[in-house]
Amino acid sequence: MLSIKNLHASVEGTPILKGINLEVKPGEVHAIMGPNGSGKSTLASVLAGKEEYEVTAGEVIFKGKDLLELSPEDRAREGVFLAFQYPVEIPGVSSTNFLRTAVNQVREYRGQEPLDAVKFLTLMKEKMKLVEIDQKLLSRSLNEGFSGGEKKRNEIFQMAILDPSLSILDETDSGLDIDALKVVSHGVNTLRSADKATIVVTHYQRLLDYIVPDFVHVLFDGKIVKSGNKELALELEEKGYDWIKEATNGAAV
Amino acid sequence: MTNTKTLRLIDTFLNGLSEDFGAFADLKMEALDALRTQGLPALKEEEYKFTPISKKLESTFGEIKATQKINLTAAQVAAAHIPGLDAHVLVFNNGQWDQELSNFTGAEFQILSIEENEANLNGKIGAIAKNDRDHFVPLNSLTFQEGISLEIPKGKALTKPVLILHFVQALEGNYTAPRTYISAQSQTAGTFIEKTISLDEAPYFNNVVTEIHVGENAHIHYYRVQEESRSGITVNNFETNIHRDATFTSVVLTLQGDMLRNNLSLNLLDSGCEGNMYGLYLVNGKTHVDNHTNVDHTKPHAESNELYKGILADQSRGVFNGKIFVRQDAQKTNAFQQNNNILLSEDAIVNTKPQLEIWADDVKCSHGCTIGQLDEEALFYLRARGIGKESARGLLLYAFAGEVLEHIKEESFRDYCIGLLQERLGGSY
């Protein structure tokens, strides 16, 4: 589904990603872990198409298409979804209005009829239950005055509505209490299926107790320096990242 | 000191004046004196620093000459109507009252010609918008023709809004000078909607003066939409005296013109009154819009709210100047002012200046202004959900601008303004 080869990216001339290789197949859940500043969020943003990151080398193929050639909106329409680490507050735009616009533009791209107000409302109601989000929250301006947990739940709610084939969760667990974490994980797990894939970017192993990954990758200094199964996450939790850093630096010398 | 340079613009007027002014001779004498002393705004004058109006008039016309009335038809009036709005219609033809095309049958207000009713109106005309207020007030006082006075008698709440349509077309001249005096007696209510229609692309100078007396416990809304031709030059002097427990709300939507200067002054003359000023300027091309607002708190326990927002594209230019004056007596004043701008192009310019003068010591006053670009983070967020770049921009700009239009209480007019806004932003949001 997603094939990343030798991906290099920099921001304002500073290289952040220095040769990422990653294969993600349908049905798989990949966790990307690593210390702060290792490039985890940059990878997520580059995949979603954030313009301030400049891709300097490498390629990303998503369902047979060159992802890097597509605009952010076309990536979303093709089925890539980024759950933001810091969802943006947008005063004056109601969540409902925003989501309906998004859903119908995605549908238009895929040659589907737009959803009318009734059908859209039915879809909303169904997905609201999944993340236990309140209707009142959705009639307010998008993310404005939402608590941290509400913002993250709203991300997963949007994901449920847009039904992407590749979901990238960028530190969705950061700042969540255990109850909110359970709700969010339940949402993500319910949306998992054999034809969809998930990339979970996280700093903490805790999330992976709830969203169990098939693969765990450690990102350090812009490269994946170690890959393994979920046991690797436990090892990281126990030993921290220093041994990875030492091993990497040692190898480089 | 006579400013001979700027007065050249109005030479013909000044030379053509007869010794005998006829009606309102005192007002006109005073206006002439004011003009001879102040001239028109000099290039470096603080109040017109960013809006070189005299230069603009001189380069456009050389000299200002009054236009004639045009042959206006009922069909043109009907075409200018706001869809779905049930309103009394007042028509001005090149600045002059046109009773025939106006329609206010069964209205709860009275209309009088200013010139023909000097006995009733002397001491009222020019008492709110005084001749020393702005350079263009005395010019209007000296030159207006067929102005009207509209009075809402005590205790009447208008059941329908009043739609004021100004048709402008330069014809054997370039200058129009509408003059309106509105008196809302105590315990009245009414909504006014004003629209200027440029009938062609020929440049004109429309010098408008509107004076409003808002009596005790009267509640007046005044909405204006400015979508003039790209060569239309307009100066609006709009001043209100707001009395005890009265409220006055102004909403101005500016979309197009060559150079538009709006002077809006609210005089809060007693306790318990409230003045609100809202404005949205959404301009492109070379449109230059200048909103100079002034609120004068004179007595305790009064409130003013002000929100002006601007979206400027291409080489357009916006000026905002917000004066809040709180006099020593005006304790417990609440005064709020906000001006936010989004620049959509490298060549668009905004000059914004809050000006607070506070002489009382127990007041709440706040002001703020911002100038920025469209929020890139927000734009990316919307696009990352599959919303196309243009729609995402439209959605964000609509959200930014919509806050101003929410203050329009008359539904069909609000819908009309929202329509204009969406048309300008290129979509429906």
Side-chain angles (χ1 to χ4, degrees):
Chain A
M1 175 181 284
L2 180 76
S3 169
I4 304 175
K5 288 199 178 104
N6 190 33
L7 182 65
H8 286 68
S10 48
V11 60
E12 287 168 0
T14 309
I16 310 280
L17 301 182
K18 302 170 181 172
I20 303 274
N21 292 290
L22 184 67
E23 290 286 332
V24 180
K25 295 195 175 65
E28 293 177 350
V29 174
H30 289 247
I32 295 181
M33 302 187 70
N36 288 327
S38 57
K40 302 189 300 289
S41 283
T42 301
L43 176 60
S45 296
V46 167
L47 293 177
K50 200 163 189 187
E51 277 157 0
E52 64 202 64
Y53 296 96
E54 192 197 349
V55 175
T56 49
E59 64 166 22
V60 180
I61 304 297
F62 175 68
K63 295 200 288 192
K65 285 190 179 156
D66 182 353
L67 192 71
L68 301 177
E69 283 295 303
L70 299 177
S71 65
E73 55 269 33
D74 281 351
R75 296 181 197 202
R77 293 161 181 173
E78 288 286 344
V80 176
F81 181 92
L82 171 67
F84 281 60
Q85 181 179 5
Y86 304 111
V88 185
E89 298 195 9
I90 307 187
V93 176
S94 82
S95 296
T96 313
N97 189 15
F98 148 71
L99 263 181
R100 200 172 155 207
T101 308
V103 164
N104 283 333
Q105 291 204 8
V106 169
R107 289 180 69 87
E108 191 186 342
Y109 182 84
R110 295 177 184 168
Q112 297 163 315
E113 288 289 305
L115 290 186
D116 62 31
V118 177
K119 280 188 185 139
F120 180 72
L121 211 64
T122 314
L123 176 71
M124 285 238 309
K125 289 241 159 83
E126 180 199 326
K127 304 298 183 189
M128 273 159 55
K129 284 188 206 127
L130 188 69
V131 286
E132 298 172 23
I133 202 163
D134 192 12
Q135 172 98 51
K136 277 186 216 137
L137 215 54
L138 298 179
S139 56
R140 281 166 41 186
S141 285
L142 185 54
N143 291 326
E144 196 184 34
F146 285 27
S147 70
E150 285 168 340
K151 282 181 187 166
K152 296 300 175 81
R153 254 189 273 180
N154 195 16
E155 291 295 288
I156 305 306
F157 172 66
Q158 292 171 27
M159 179 177 135
I161 294 270
L162 292 168
D163 194 27
S165 39
L166 175 68
S167 302
I168 304 160
L169 310 182
D170 186 8
E171 307 213 12
T172 299
D173 54 327
S174 298
L176 288 190
D177 64 31
I178 200 79
D179 292 329
L181 186 68
K182 282 180 184 166
V183 171
V184 164
S185 309
H186 171 70
V188 174
N189 287 328
T190 314
L191 298 169
R192 280 174 78 165
S193 75
D195 57 349
K196 289 177 186 158
T198 309
I199 296 175
V200 184
V201 174
T202 181
H203 188 68
Y204 306 104
Q205 182 273 335
R206 188 183 64 161
L207 175 67
L208 305 180
D209 289 342
Y210 299 96
I211 303 173
V212 182
D214 301 298
F215 301 94
V216 174
H217 310 278
V218 181
L219 193 63
F220 177 66
D221 194 24
K223 283 181 193 166
I224 290 176
V225 293
K226 200 166 177 56
S227 295
N229 58 17
K230 63 180 178 183
E231 305 302 325
L232 176 59
L234 293 170
E235 200 179 345
L236 287 168
E237 177 72 7
E238 199 180 306
K239 298 200 215 164
Y241 288 107
D242 285 351
W243 64 282
I244 297 271
K245 291 183 194 173
E246 278 160 26
T248 313
N249 292 337
V253 170
Chain B
M1 194 179 67
T2 305
N3 190 328
T4 46
K5 189 168 182 296
T6 56
L7 280 183
R8 211 167 53 217
L9 268 163
I10 48 173
D11 256 357
T12 310
F13 274 136
L14 298 184
N15 295 336
L17 289 172
S18 68
E19 289 295 305
D20 172 25
F21 284 114
F24 293 94
D26 291 350
L27 180 78
K28 290 180 187 247
M29 269 315 286
E30 183 190 83
L32 185 58
D33 279 349
L35 267 180
R36 284 197 168 131
T37 353
Q38 311 167 26
L40 295 181
L43 206 53
K44 293 277 159 69
E45 189 176 318
E46 186 63 26
E47 289 296 305
Y48 281 86
K49 196 166 147 191
F50 300 113
T51 301
I53 185 86
S54 302
K55 200 174 146 198
K56 168 63 80 179
L57 292 171
E58 208 162 327
S59 65
T60 311
F61 306 115
E63 196 171 50
I64 291 167
K65 285 193 316 211
T67 61
Q68 309 303 307
K69 267 191 172 181
I70 44 177
N71 288 322
L72 200 60
T73 65
Q76 283 172 306
V77 174
H81 209 288
I82 312 288
L85 182 78
D86 182 19
H88 299 298
V89 181
L90 310 184
V91 175
F92 283 82
N93 179 333
N94 269 345
Q96 301 175 40
W97 166 238
D98 190 328
Q99 178 140 16
E100 266 173 45
L101 288 175
S102 299
N103 182 359
F104 49 104
T105 353
E108 308 97 325
F109 52 78
Q110 283 122 30
I111 288 188
L112 296 175
S113 144
I114 291 180
E115 288 99 312
E116 289 164 18
N117 289 274
E118 191 183 2
N120 293 323
L121 296 169
N122 209 357
K124 291 180 177 171
I125 306 303
I128 300 174
K130 297 191 175 80
N131 274 328
D132 59 1
R133 208 46 165 147
D134 178 79
H135 300 268
F136 293 97
V137 174
L139 183 60
N140 178 289
S141 296
L142 203 57
T143 54
F144 75 84
Q145 288 178 53
E146 301 190 41
I148 58 160
S149 147
L150 184 155
E151 182 177 315
I152 309 176
K154 191 176 172 180
K156 286 279 182 209
L158 301 188
T159 48
K160 288 204 268 186
V162 181
L163 176 64
I164 302 172
L165 299 174
H166 285 277
F167 290 88
V168 189
Q169 183 177 32
L171 190 74
E172 295 170 31
N174 45 48
Y175 173 78
T176 61
R179 181 81 175 217
T180 310
Y181 170 76
I182 295 174
S183 173
Q185 298 294 312
S186 71
Q187 301 182 68
T188 53
T191 297
F192 294 84
I193 298 168
E194 188 183 309
K195 189 180 159 189
T196 300
I197 301 100
S198 318
L199 289 173
D200 63 19
E201 292 295 318
Y204 59 77
F205 174 40
N206 192 18
N207 179 22
V208 190
V209 173
T210 308
E211 299 176 85
I212 305 188
H213 162 86
V214 187
E216 212 173 296
N217 200 24
H219 302 282
I220 301 297
H221 293 258
Y222 206 107
Y223 308 135
R224 286 180 280 170
V225 55
Q226 302 180 309
E227 192 179 25
E228 305 192 17
S229 85
R230 293 223 174 260
S231 39
I233 303 167
T234 290
V235 174
N236 256 294
N237 273 290
F238 192 108
E239 186 150 358
T240 66
N241 280 355
I242 305 169
H243 294 268
R244 196 179 181 90
D245 301 325
T247 61
F248 178 84
T249 301
S250 160
V251 183
V252 184
L253 170 62
T254 306
L255 293 166
Q256 189 172 281
D258 180 352
M259 186 176 272
L260 305 167
R261 163 71 173 237
N262 298 318
N263 294 326
L264 170 63
S265 296
L266 308 189
N267 305 316
L268 298 170
L269 298 181
D270 211 334
S271 294
C273 63
E274 183 184 316
N276 303 308
M277 299 179 273
Y278 304 104
L280 171 65
Y281 38 103
L282 179 67
V283 286
N284 58 18
K286 289 186 170 177
T287 295
H288 178 123
V289 53
D290 178 347
N291 283 293
H292 261 64
T293 67
N294 182 31
V295 54
D296 188 359
H297 283 267
T298 61
K299 289 281 156 60
H301 296 287
E303 187 174 317
S304 64
N305 298 291
E306 178 167 25
L307 174 67
Y308 271 74
K309 285 191 161 187
I311 299 176
L312 297 104
D314 306 335
Q315 292 159 288
S316 61
R317 181 152 189 182
V319 180
F320 174 81
N321 188 292
K323 267 187 210 158
I324 299 178
F325 201 82
V326 182
R327 297 185 191 232
Q328 204 166 0
D329 271 356
Q331 300 293 0
K332 306 286 179 190
T333 286
N334 283 329
F336 304 103
Q337 180 190 92
Q338 188 74 37
N339 174 235
N340 306 106
N341 299 281
I342 293 181
L343 301 180
L344 296 178
S345 100
E346 298 259 318
D347 299 322
I349 300 175
V350 164
N351 297 96
T352 174
K353 182 175 156 199
Q355 231 179 313
L356 277 68
E357 243 182 87
I358 301 169
W359 297 95
D361 55 13
D362 184 12
V363 299
K364 268 192 240 167
C365 290
S366 74
H367 68 92
C369 52
T370 60
I371 301 174
Q373 273 99 37
L374 204 56
D375 183 351
E376 289 293 328
E377 293 285 325
L379 196 60
F380 176 65
Y381 188 74
L382 297 179
R383 294 177 73 192
R385 296 295 175 257
I387 299 177
K389 193 175 182 180
E390 287 310 308
S391 313
R393 278 166 60 99
L395 202 61
L396 291 175
L397 291 174
Y398 181 74
F400 173 81
E403 196 187 349
V404 172
L405 302 184
E406 279 169 22
H407 294 284
I408 298 173
K409 299 296 171 214
E410 182 65 44
E411 207 176 326
S412 47
F413 180 65
R414 186 176 60 236
D415 289 347
Y416 172 77
C417 291
I418 289 173
L420 293 174
L421 178 60
Q422 298 204 339
E423 192 183 316
R424 184 60 69 85
L425 297 175
S428 97
Y429 302 103

